Amino acid sequence: MTQIKACCESIARSGFGTLQISDAMLQDYKKIVDGYSAISQATKESFSFALDTDGFFPFGAEYSGIEDQPDLCERFCYWPVHASKRMAFDFTRSTFFAAVDSFERQISELAKELMDGVCGEFGVSPLAPFRSASYVQLCVYGAQTTGCVRRFAQDPHEDGHMLSFIKPTREGLVLVKGSSLEPVRLLEGEIAVLAGSLLTELSDHAIPAAYHAVLAPLKPVARSSLIYFANPNPEQLLTSFYRRQSIDLNSTVNARHTGFGNQPIHSL
């Protein structure tokens, strides 16, 4: 059994799986998580596009269901659909940006292959390419966020996407299963794959969304997490996996996106 097949079966069964990433992706990942600290505050402020949820966002700009308990991190978001609008900025010629662009191209291909496999588990046709509706997000939890009274740096939630690919630099990511917390532990070359609420709806609730959170560290320590959020192509007419009924997820995509404190996605 290939690792893709095994991951597809695990997602179909439990909403969670793991995958190996290539050496090239791992190198891009390291350039991204290691390179963030060298980016100036001036660059972060100039390369921020709130209406597109693109570029840099300051500490506490997003939340996971509770508006007055923001996620304890800074963010960088990269949507390939907006890349052509940013080329006048010097930052797009940086090593960091090049690594993000390279990682996104590779993870989008991996995501498409995996989603095709998940569809195969249910005997339905593959989805249309969804790269233009999907994006990369880097969450940076600085050491200064420790020592707070909160248990979570990111409160328990399910992602409002089809699939989330998550690779953190250290421990903290947990699956929330009832009253228990199950730590997600990954090898250096592994990435976690979590089903989101859109995939639950598309599968007629056969696939559970992976409820998860990020624990606040007990000691002052920096932590980063690189994520790829896969959303369905807004132009595709979707059919649910079991009932074979037409399902329009566009409004749901926007509701989930804005529910985390983001601006609406313009194309939806």
Side-chain angles (χ1 to χ4, degrees):
M1 180 184 299
T2 66
Q3 62 149 339
I4 289 285
K5 175 67 172 175
C7 186
C8 291
E9 290 184 354
S10 182
I11 289 171
R13 181 177 62 254
S14 70
F16 176 81
T18 60
L19 277 177
Q20 290 283 330
I21 58 175
S22 68
D23 289 342
M25 292 178 68
L26 184 59
Q27 292 306 309
D28 286 332
Y29 165 78
K30 291 178 178 178
K31 291 176 183 177
I32 295 166
V33 297
D34 292 343
Y36 184 87
S37 61
I39 301 170
S40 70
Q41 184 61 31
T43 296
K44 293 177 183 178
E45 292 175 358
S46 65
F47 201 83
S48 180
F49 314 95
L51 291 180
D52 293 332
T53 317
D54 195 39
F56 293 95
F57 293 87
F59 179 87
E62 189 176 45
Y63 53 87
S64 300
I66 305 176
E67 189 170 352
D68 61 356
Q69 288 191 184
D71 299 344
L72 302 181
C73 63
E74 299 180 19
R75 285 186 297 156
F76 174 77
C77 299
Y78 172 71
W79 295 70
V81 71
H82 298 310
S84 62
K85 298 187 292 186
R86 316 297 185 215
M87 301 316 294
F89 291 83
D90 289 340
F91 177 68
T92 62
R93 290 175 283 283
S94 67
T95 300
F96 177 91
F97 191 88
V100 172
D101 178 72
S102 176
F103 184 88
E104 184 279 329
R105 292 177 185 278
Q106 295 172 87
I107 195 70
S108 63
E109 293 179 1
L110 187 60
K112 183 64 170 66
E113 183 178 1
L114 187 67
M115 193 63 221
D116 287 353
V118 171
C119 289
E121 291 292 316
F122 291 87
V124 299
S125 300
L127 301 187
F130 46 76
R131 184 185 175 208
S132 63
S134 306
Y135 66 105
V136 169
Q137 177 168 295
L138 174 68
C139 296
V140 180
Y141 302 82
Q144 74 275 7
T145 65
T146 61
C148 66
V149 296
R150 286 176 53 178
R151 184 184 187 187
F152 299 105
Q154 186 182 44
D155 289 323
H157 65 286
E158 58 187 40
D159 286 338
H161 310 278
M162 289 193 304
L163 293 171
S164 299
F165 296 73
I166 305 177
K167 185 159 182 60
T169 57
R170 61 177 65 250
E171 69 283 347
L173 177 64
V174 293
L175 297 177
V176 181
K177 298 184 176 181
S179 60
S180 66
L181 302 177
E182 182 179 305
V184 175
R185 297 186 173 93
L186 302 169
L187 299 176
E188 183 182 31
E190 285 185 324
I191 193 167
V193 187
L194 283 66
S197 57
L198 296 185
L199 188 54
T200 298
E201 293 191 35
L202 185 60
S203 67
D204 291 311
H205 295 268
I207 300 176
Y211 206 54
H212 60 288
V214 176
L215 293 172
L218 299 176
K219 299 178 180 179
V221 62
R223 177 186 182 276
S224 297
S225 184
L226 189 61
I227 310 166
Y228 181 71
F229 293 127
N231 289 319
N233 187 319
E235 298 181 358
Q236 181 178 19
L237 298 177
L238 296 169
T239 302
S240 63
F241 287 180
Y242 275 124
R243 296 175 183 173
R244 298 296 198 270
Q245 294 179 344
S246 296
I247 180 170
D248 182 2
L249 292 180
N250 287 345
S251 60
T252 307
V253 170
N254 246 331
R256 301 290 192 272
H257 190 68
T258 57
F260 285 80
N262 300 306
Q263 293 296 313
I265 303 174
H266 301 313
S267 60
L268 300 181

